PDB file of all heavy atoms in Angstrom:
ATOM      1  N   GLU A 195      -1.272  23.972  19.899  1.00 91.00           N
ATOM      2  CA  GLU A 195      -1.240  22.963  21.031  1.00 91.00           C
ATOM      3  C   GLU A 195      -1.779  21.606  20.590  1.00 91.00           C
ATOM      4  O   GLU A 195      -1.287  20.582  21.069  1.00 91.00           O
ATOM      5  CB  GLU A 195      -2.139  23.574  22.139  1.00 91.00           C
ATOM      6  CG  GLU A 195      -2.342  22.685  23.355  1.00 91.00           C
ATOM      7  CD  GLU A 195      -3.298  23.274  24.328  1.00 91.00           C
ATOM      8  OE1 GLU A 195      -3.341  24.533  24.399  1.00 91.00           O
ATOM      9  OE2 GLU A 195      -3.978  22.559  24.981  1.00 91.00           O
ATOM     10  N   GLU A 196      -2.842  21.599  19.763  1.00 95.00           N
ATOM     11  CA  GLU A 196      -3.513  20.316  19.415  1.00 95.00           C
ATOM     12  C   GLU A 196      -3.856  20.361  17.920  1.00 95.00           C
ATOM     13  O   GLU A 196      -4.879  20.900  17.546  1.00 95.00           O
ATOM     14  CB  GLU A 196      -4.759  20.195  20.299  1.00 95.00           C
ATOM     15  CG  GLU A 196      -5.452  18.861  20.187  1.00 95.00           C
ATOM     16  CD  GLU A 196      -6.541  18.726  21.197  1.00 95.00           C
ATOM     17  OE1 GLU A 196      -7.675  19.115  20.916  1.00 95.00           O
ATOM     18  OE2 GLU A 196      -6.283  18.217  22.334  1.00 95.00           O
ATOM     19  N   ASN A 197      -3.022  19.761  17.117  1.00 94.00           N
ATOM     20  CA  ASN A 197      -3.177  19.798  15.701  1.00 94.00           C
ATOM     21  C   ASN A 197      -4.070  18.611  15.269  1.00 94.00           C
ATOM     22  O   ASN A 197      -3.708  17.438  15.315  1.00 94.00           O
ATOM     23  CB  ASN A 197      -1.781  19.685  14.990  1.00 94.00           C
ATOM     24  CG  ASN A 197      -1.918  19.847  13.497  1.00 94.00           C
ATOM     25  OD1 ASN A 197      -2.642  19.113  12.878  1.00 94.00           O
ATOM     26  ND2 ASN A 197      -1.129  20.692  12.957  1.00 94.00           N
ATOM     27  N   LEU A 198      -5.303  18.962  14.852  1.00 95.00           N
ATOM     28  CA  LEU A 198      -6.304  17.905  14.511  1.00 95.00           C
ATOM     29  C   LEU A 198      -5.757  17.064  13.322  1.00 95.00           C
ATOM     30  O   LEU A 198      -6.048  15.870  13.297  1.00 95.00           O
ATOM     31  CB  LEU A 198      -7.639  18.562  14.182  1.00 95.00           C
ATOM     32  CG  LEU A 198      -8.415  19.039  15.381  1.00 95.00           C
ATOM     33  CD1 LEU A 198      -9.779  19.556  14.891  1.00 95.00           C
ATOM     34  CD2 LEU A 198      -8.661  17.970  16.358  1.00 95.00           C
ATOM     35  N   GLU A 199      -5.147  17.701  12.338  1.00 95.00           N
ATOM     36  CA  GLU A 199      -4.657  16.959  11.175  1.00 95.00           C
ATOM     37  C   GLU A 199      -3.654  15.879  11.632  1.00 95.00           C
ATOM     38  O   GLU A 199      -3.710  14.724  11.189  1.00 95.00           O
ATOM     39  CB  GLU A 199      -3.987  17.848  10.158  1.00 95.00           C
ATOM     40  CG  GLU A 199      -3.583  17.182   8.891  1.00 95.00           C
ATOM     41  CD  GLU A 199      -2.967  18.092   7.867  1.00 95.00           C
ATOM     42  OE1 GLU A 199      -3.626  19.083   7.461  1.00 95.00           O
ATOM     43  OE2 GLU A 199      -1.801  17.861   7.493  1.00 95.00           O
ATOM     44  N   ASP A 200      -2.747  16.277  12.513  1.00 95.00           N
ATOM     45  CA  ASP A 200      -1.770  15.304  12.999  1.00 95.00           C
ATOM     46  C   ASP A 200      -2.390  14.201  13.842  1.00 95.00           C
ATOM     47  O   ASP A 200      -2.032  13.016  13.670  1.00 95.00           O
ATOM     48  CB  ASP A 200      -0.694  16.007  13.848  1.00 95.00           C
ATOM     49  CG  ASP A 200       0.292  16.893  12.976  1.00 95.00           C
ATOM     50  OD1 ASP A 200       0.229  16.739  11.721  1.00 95.00           O
ATOM     51  OD2 ASP A 200       0.949  17.736  13.621  1.00 95.00           O
ATOM     52  N   LEU A 201      -3.287  14.631  14.700  1.00 97.00           N
ATOM     53  CA  LEU A 201      -3.938  13.598  15.576  1.00 97.00           C
ATOM     54  C   LEU A 201      -4.874  12.684  14.785  1.00 97.00           C
ATOM     55  O   LEU A 201      -4.803  11.411  14.966  1.00 97.00           O
ATOM     56  CB  LEU A 201      -4.768  14.294  16.665  1.00 97.00           C
ATOM     57  CG  LEU A 201      -3.880  15.037  17.725  1.00 97.00           C
ATOM     58  CD1 LEU A 201      -4.786  15.893  18.652  1.00 97.00           C
ATOM     59  CD2 LEU A 201      -3.050  14.008  18.544  1.00 97.00           C
ATOM     60  N   LEU A 202      -5.640  13.191  13.922  1.00 97.00           N
ATOM     61  CA  LEU A 202      -6.540  12.380  13.133  1.00 97.00           C
ATOM     62  C   LEU A 202      -5.756  11.486  12.156  1.00 97.00           C
ATOM     63  O   LEU A 202      -5.973  10.318  12.008  1.00 97.00           O
ATOM     64  CB  LEU A 202      -7.499  13.244  12.350  1.00 97.00           C
ATOM     65  CG  LEU A 202      -8.520  12.529  11.431  1.00 97.00           C
ATOM     66  CD1 LEU A 202      -9.352  11.522  12.170  1.00 97.00           C
ATOM     67  CD2 LEU A 202      -9.482  13.635  10.738  1.00 97.00           C
ATOM     68  N   GLY A 203      -4.792  12.106  11.450  1.00 97.00           N
ATOM     69  CA  GLY A 203      -3.959  11.369  10.510  1.00 97.00           C
ATOM     70  C   GLY A 203      -3.161  10.255  11.250  1.00 97.00           C
ATOM     71  O   GLY A 203      -3.113   9.152  10.733  1.00 97.00           O
ATOM     72  N   GLY A 204      -2.615  10.554  12.358  1.00 96.00           N
ATOM     73  CA  GLY A 204      -1.850   9.524  13.114  1.00 96.00           C
ATOM     74  C   GLY A 204      -2.794   8.393  13.541  1.00 96.00           C
ATOM     75  O   GLY A 204      -2.436   7.194  13.451  1.00 96.00           O
TER      76      GLY A 204
END
Side-chain angles (χ1 to χ4, degrees):
E195 177 185 328
E196 190 172 86
N197 185 308
L198 286 181
E199 182 180 304
D200 290 346
L201 292 169
L202 179 56

